């Protein structure tokens, strides 16, 4: 299958390894990955911070870029981010409608219908749970809020992780509670965000895992930023990176 | 403009000219799988009531004498000799009790506060939620008598036990003053832990007959 | 009915309603108020314990209902239908209440509602009233209004009593004293409850018994009661109070006069609709299959209960919320408090940080919808941001209010209200615009990415070499900053794979 990679703005600039890992997993499974160079950002930060007019231009751009590749032989768009896929699927059309652009809304819905978060693409579209990975580490999985509730990815990431050879997967206590990131919430309400982060870190530390993983680089950046500040020795590693690993 | 006119006018303005009305899906259960009064429902009702810390007494037949005996036994072990009862309660239910005050409008709340118990019937009971409905009819009495005394003995006839909330509501007349009772009074206000027994009767004894 | 040519809807964006009356606006923005709550260790412990207890109970009793999702769908649609024909339903409710011997009053705002109630109480000659826990009367500040005319209001719900005796404010919709632990409650009772046995313990059963003894005399002598209502059935004129302790029944039954204050959104079309809400509400709120007592009454029942009944229908900002297409759905709320109990923000800050009678996720949308978003420095302008948009509230809401979506919408209303009022954009707005500008074009975005990569040299061991200006220092106060990668993904792709697509 020919799949277009939506790298996300954060992934492009801060976490290119996540994108490389996504490419590696898909190519190992025999799929072709294309990277539409014109892509930028889904506009989620703008939308969620109250700048819908500014986001509207980004939505339009995103729709134009990805409908072009979908028309050009790509069967699906994949992003290693539950949150950005959530924005594409649940915000783009609504935002276009609020801006009074029904035509754009319809086009956004068409793109959204073929956009998948990585675990969704692997399990639902490509029908695999064993991607041939090996990762001999003690790992705990945080199901990020947007993957869990907005997309409803359920246990797909866990099914993928359970099939990884050598992994010691431990359940995270209070897994479904939010890590406190929330985009600009982490800055506007830094104290509350930190209180939530503290509890999430206690849960992670209670597992005695060496690696905490998730399907969203943004939440991992948050949890990892806290774990690193406290020098806990626990590393954040994106789900895609574990699935790409073969040693 | 009166407040009434102004509020109605604001609402109409807020809604615009043709507010769209959604279709209301009612695909939830309108009735249970068990017919009213079946043993399964009686068992479920008892289970729910006991979960609420109500005391349940089972009387095999819908026989007023047997009910009266059960009521007398339940009150005697608690040392209660006096009850108030609405005029519609069968005399056999209270016949074995020493001191029965038949309710009348002139009995005020302070007097009720000195009577330790009340005996009433009920109109319908909902098994799934452990709910008994009182409707102010002569077997249930006015609302004050089932509220002020500290012990409420309530007779539920098995044939009045339905499975679901919709079935229960269909069987009562909303124009009467209704009280839905699910266990003794309780509170979760302290640390969200449930404690039974606050202002309403602290003891609820349910006699399930039939 | 003639064609309506009435006033246009009042928009959510605009000047605040009169904040002097009632309890819808706090004195500080959420982040500042939250900082204090977060530092209160006893509060944190109490909240964590109470919310986790109730979450587990709710989950257990919801799972056992096979048609829970069908009930949620029905509840949501009944409320949407209600809003669409609110005028006719209110008129129908009024007609039925009047036909059964009640009197109906209409109140545009808190001040008018308080005036109506205080006049009614004074006309009876009573100098005290007993109150059933009611959000509407808390919202309008009725107790203070009664006190101003020399009438004592006795809160009779245990949690409200704890709050009243503790000279405190409610912090939760269902359990207003959720921020207090049993030891604190014992202290309050020992100090403030007239005639209490000073040796009482902190056993919840003992504390509940003390409240019973204390209030029993009040119930027996009270001539006037004030209540709210959970539902008002238009078709029959029936009002409903859902409660647990029996204090509601006392108030609704023993006094001679009953005054019920009900928000206009609490009407439901038909008796049959209660079959949905009486299943959704108790399981969502206290996590019980059914609450101990539900009372329904229609006007006056001869020989049974109060022989004088007044219903006060309250607007107080509800028509403002109704004018917002999306925000309107916040009026569907049945005040179960499930969204508070699952909210990770509420669980840590508690209700006082929201400054309003309505805290938690529902408060973060309902409060600004009622009072308006000013785009200025009104504390309620901060409420739509008091959420990570984690979505837990939407999952549990029995009437499926999409709280995260409304929060996002209100954030847009807020920034636009600010732009309406100010000639200069905020620093944030300017930054957002700049970022959007650079992201709207791939070449600009690539250049910005390379510029960001240079910033990596400014970060050592997770900390910036130069302190970040506010608000960005909010991040680095507790978390290390990520170092931008030396090579962006797109540059890596171009280098290793050549130009694609
Ligand atoms: S918004 Fe929904 S969950 Fe929250 S209190 Fe209202 S009805 Fe309950």
């Amino acid at each position: 299958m020919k799949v277009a990679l939506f790298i996300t703005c954060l992934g492009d600039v801060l976490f290119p390894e996540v994108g490389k890992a996504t490419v590696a997993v898909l190519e190992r499974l025999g799929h072709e990955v294309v990277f539409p160079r014109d892509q930028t950002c889904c506009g989620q930060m703008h939308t969620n911070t109250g700048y819908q007019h500014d986001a509207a231009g980004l939505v339009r751009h995103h729709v134009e870029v990805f409908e072009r590749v979908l028309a050009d032989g790509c069967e699906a768009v994949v992003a290693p981010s539950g949150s950005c896929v959530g924005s594409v699927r649940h915000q783009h059309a609504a935002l276009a409608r609020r801006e009074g652009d029904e035509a754009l809304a319809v086009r956004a819905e068409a793109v959204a219908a073929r956009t998948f978060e990585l675990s969704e693409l692997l399990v639902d579209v490509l029908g695999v749970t064993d991607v041939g990975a090996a990762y001999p580490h003690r790992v705990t999985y945080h199901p990020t809020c947007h993957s869990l509730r907005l997309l409803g990815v359920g246990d797909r990431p866990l099914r993928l992780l359970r099939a990884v050879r050598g992994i010691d997967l431990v359940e995270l206590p209070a897994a479904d509670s939010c890590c406190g990131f929330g985009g600009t919430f982490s800055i506007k309400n830094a104290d509350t965000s930190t209180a939530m982060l503290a509890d999430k870190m206690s849960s992670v530390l209670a597992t005695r895992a060496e690696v905490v993983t998730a399907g969203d680089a943004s939440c991992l950046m948050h949890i990892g930023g806290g774990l690193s500040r406290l020098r806990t020795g626990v590393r954040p590693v994106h789900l895609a990176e574990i699935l790409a690993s073969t040693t | 403009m009166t407040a009434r006119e102004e509020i109605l006018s604001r609402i109409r303005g807020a809604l615009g000219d043709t507010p769209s009305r959604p279709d209301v899906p009612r695909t939830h259960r309108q009735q249970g799988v068990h017919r009213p009064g079946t043993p399964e429902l009686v068992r479920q009702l008892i289970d729910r009531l006991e979960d609420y810390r109500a005391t349940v007494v089972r009387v095999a037949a819908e026989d007023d004498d047997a009910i009266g005996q059960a009521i007398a036994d339940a009150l005697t072990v608690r040392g209660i000799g006096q009850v108030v009862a609405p005029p519609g309660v069968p005399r056999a239910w209270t016949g074995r009790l020493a001191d029965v005050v038949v309710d009348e409008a002139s009995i005020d709340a302070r007097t009720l506060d000195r009577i330790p118990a009340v005996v009433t019937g009920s109109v319908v009971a909902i098994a799934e939620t452990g709910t008994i409905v009182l409707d102010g009819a002569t077997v249930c009495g006015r609302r004050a008598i089932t509220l002020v005394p500290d012990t409420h003995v309530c007779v539920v006839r098995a044939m009045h036990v339905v499975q679901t909330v919709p079935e229960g509501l269909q069987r009562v007349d909303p124009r009467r003053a209704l009280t839905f009772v699910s266990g003794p009074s309780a509170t979760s206000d302290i640390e969200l832990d449930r404690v039974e027994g606050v202002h309403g009767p602290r003891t609820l004894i349910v006699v399930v007959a039939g | 009915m003639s064609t309506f040519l009435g006033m246009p809807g009042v928009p959510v964006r605009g000047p605040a309603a009169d904040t002097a009356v009632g309890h819808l606006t706090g004195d500080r923005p959420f982040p500042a108020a939250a900082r204090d709550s977060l530092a209160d260790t006893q509060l944190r412990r109490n909240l964590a314990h109470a919310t986790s207890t109730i979450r587990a109970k709710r989950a257990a009793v919801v799972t056992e209902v096979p048609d829970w999702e069908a009930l949620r769908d029905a509840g949501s649609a009944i409320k949407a239908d209600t809003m669409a024909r609110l005028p006719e339903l209110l008129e129908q409710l009024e007609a039925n209440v009047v036909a059964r011997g009640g009197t109906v009053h209409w109140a545009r705002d808190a001040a008018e509602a308080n005036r109506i109630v205080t006049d009614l109480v004074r006309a009876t000659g009573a100098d005290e009233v007993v109150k059933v826990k009611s959000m509407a009367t808390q919202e309008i500040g009725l107790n203070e209004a009664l006190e101003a005319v020399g009438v004592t209001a006795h809160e009779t719900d245990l949690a409200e009593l704890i709050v009243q005796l503790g000279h405190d404010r409610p912090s939760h919709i269902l359990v207003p004293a959720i921020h207090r632990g049993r030891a604190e409650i014992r202290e309050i009772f020992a100090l403030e409850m007239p005639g209490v046995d000073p040796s009482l313990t902190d056993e919840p059963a003992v504390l509940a018994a003390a409240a019973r003894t204390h209030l029993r005399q009040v119930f027996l002598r009270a001539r006037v009661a004030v209540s709210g209502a959970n539902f008002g059935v238009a078709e029959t004129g029936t009002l409903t109070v859902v409660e647990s302790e029996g204090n509601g029944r006392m108030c609704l039954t023993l006094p001679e006069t009953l005054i019920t204050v009900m928000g206009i959104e609490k009407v439901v079309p038909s008796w049959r609709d209660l079959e949905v809400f009486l299943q959704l509400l108790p399981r969502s709120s206290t996590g019980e299959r059914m609450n101990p007592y539900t009372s329904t009454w229609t006007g006056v029942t001869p020989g049974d209960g109060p022989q004088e009944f007044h219903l006060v229908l309250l607007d107080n900002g509800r028509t403002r919320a109704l004018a917002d297409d999306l925000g309107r759905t916040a009026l569907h709320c049945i005040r179960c408090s499930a969204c508070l109990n699952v909210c990770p923000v509420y669980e840590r800050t508690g209700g006082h940080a929201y400054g309003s009678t309505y805290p938690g996720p529902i408060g973060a949308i309902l409060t600004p919808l009622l009072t308006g978003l000013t785009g200025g420095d009104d504390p309620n302008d901060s409420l739509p941001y008091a959420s990570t948009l984690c979505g837990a509230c939407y999952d549990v809401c029995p009437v499926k209010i999409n709280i995260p979506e409304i929060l996002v919408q209100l954030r847009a209303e807020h920034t636009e209200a600010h732009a309406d009022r100010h000639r200069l954009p905020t620093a944030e707005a300017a930054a957002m615009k700049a970022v959007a500008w650079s992201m709207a074009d791939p070449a600009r975005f690539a250049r910005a990415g390379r510029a960001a990569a240079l910033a990596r040299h400014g970060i050592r061991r997770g900390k910036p070499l130069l302190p970040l200006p506010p608000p960005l220092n909010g991040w680095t106060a507790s978390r290390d900053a990520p170092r931008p990668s030396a090579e962006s993904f797109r540059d890596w792709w171009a280098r290793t794979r050549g130009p694609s697509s």
Side-chain angles (χ1 to χ4, degrees), chain C residues 46-352:
Chain C
N46 293 346
L47 282 171
H49 170 73
T51 55
S52 59
T53 305
I54 192 69
R55 281 200 299 265
K57 279 170 123 178
R58 177 204 162 272
V61 295
V62 162
T63 328
E64 73 178 29
V65 180
D67 52 346
W68 185 253
E69 290 306 319
L71 288 166
R72 288 178 82 205
D73 287 335
S76 171
I78 292 168
K79 286 290 187 176
D81 181 43
T82 301
M83 296 309 145
R85 52 200 183 102
L86 198 51
E88 67 177 272
L89 293 175
L90 288 170
E91 285 168 331
Q92 194 186 7
L93 175 70
E94 174 184 55
N96 282 318
V97 169
V98 170
R100 300 278 306 215
T103 309
V104 177
H105 311 258
W106 300 67
R108 279 167 278 226
D109 53 27
E112 188 166 29
N114 287 336
R115 201 158 52 239
I116 292 167
V117 177
T118 48
D119 287 352
L120 288 170
V121 174
R122 280 203 295 193
T124 67
D127 61 2
E128 63 176 359
V129 300
V130 282
K131 281 189 69 205
V132 191
K133 187 174 105 57
S134 134
M135 300 308 295
T137 60
Q138 179 64 32
E139 167 191 331
I140 62 178
L142 179 64
N143 290 6
E144 290 82 349
L146 287 168
E147 197 185 316
V149 297
V151 175
T152 307
H154 299 280
E155 291 292 354
T156 65
D157 169 76
L158 178 53
E160 289 282 8
L161 178 68
I162 295 164
V163 167
Q164 192 175 41
L165 291 177
H167 312 289
D168 199 356
R169 287 180 301 131
S171 70
H172 188 274
I173 299 179
L174 172 76
V175 198
I178 194 173
H179 56 291
R180 298 288 195 188
R182 60 184 70 189
E184 292 170 282
I185 296 168
R186 195 213 81 88
E187 277 309 289
I188 293 171
F189 279 16
L191 284 174
E192 303 279 349
M193 187 180 273
V196 77
D197 172 3
S199 68
L200 87 168
T201 69
D202 67 0
E203 271 300 298
V206 171
L207 296 168
R212 176 185 170 101
T213 312
H214 165 65
L215 284 174
R216 181 58 64 133
Q217 293 313 312
V218 182
F219 286 133
L220 292 177
R221 69 170 188 252
R223 289 162 45 211
V224 181
V226 176
S227 85
N230 292 92
F231 309 99
V233 181
E235 169 193 57
T236 56
T238 306
L239 291 153
T240 313
V241 162
V242 174
E243 53 131 357
S244 295
E245 296 167 11
N247 63 309
R249 292 179 67 192
M250 290 282 178
C251 294
L252 301 172
T253 308
L254 298 185
E256 295 149 17
T257 301
L258 172 63
I259 304 166
T260 299
V261 181
M262 181 182 107
I264 52 174
E265 82 284 17
K266 295 278 161 221
V267 66
V268 294
S270 67
W271 175 251
R272 198 182 157 200
D273 297 327
L274 290 187
E275 75 187 26
V276 175
F277 297 113
L278 290 183
Q279 295 191 72
L280 290 173
L281 181 53
R283 290 185 197 255
S284 298
S285 62
T286 49
E288 292 166 311
R289 295 184 173 110
M290 189 64 87
N291 51 292
Y293 299 130
T294 295
S295 297
T296 74
W297 72 98
T298 308
V300 170
T301 308
D304 186 358
Q307 295 302 294
E308 192 175 329
F309 172 57
H310 296 272
L311 175 64
V312 182
L313 295 172
L314 176 72
D315 179 349
N316 204 36
R318 285 158 178 77
T319 47
R320 186 199 277 257
L322 196 67
D324 188 287
D325 278 350
L326 188 59
R328 180 179 299 163
T329 57
L331 297 176
H332 298 180
C333 173
I334 58 173
R335 311 277 188 266
C336 72
S337 75
C339 59
L340 281 63
N341 300 329
V342 298
C343 177
V345 173
Y346 178 89
E347 183 184 349
R348 290 169 179 84
T349 65
H352 292 159

Side-chain angles (χ1 to χ4, degrees), chain C residues 11-33:
Chain C
V12 172
R13 216 187 294 172
D18 183 359
T19 51
V21 187
H23 298 291
L24 284 176
T25 309
D27 52 6
R28 287 180 298 169
F30 183 83

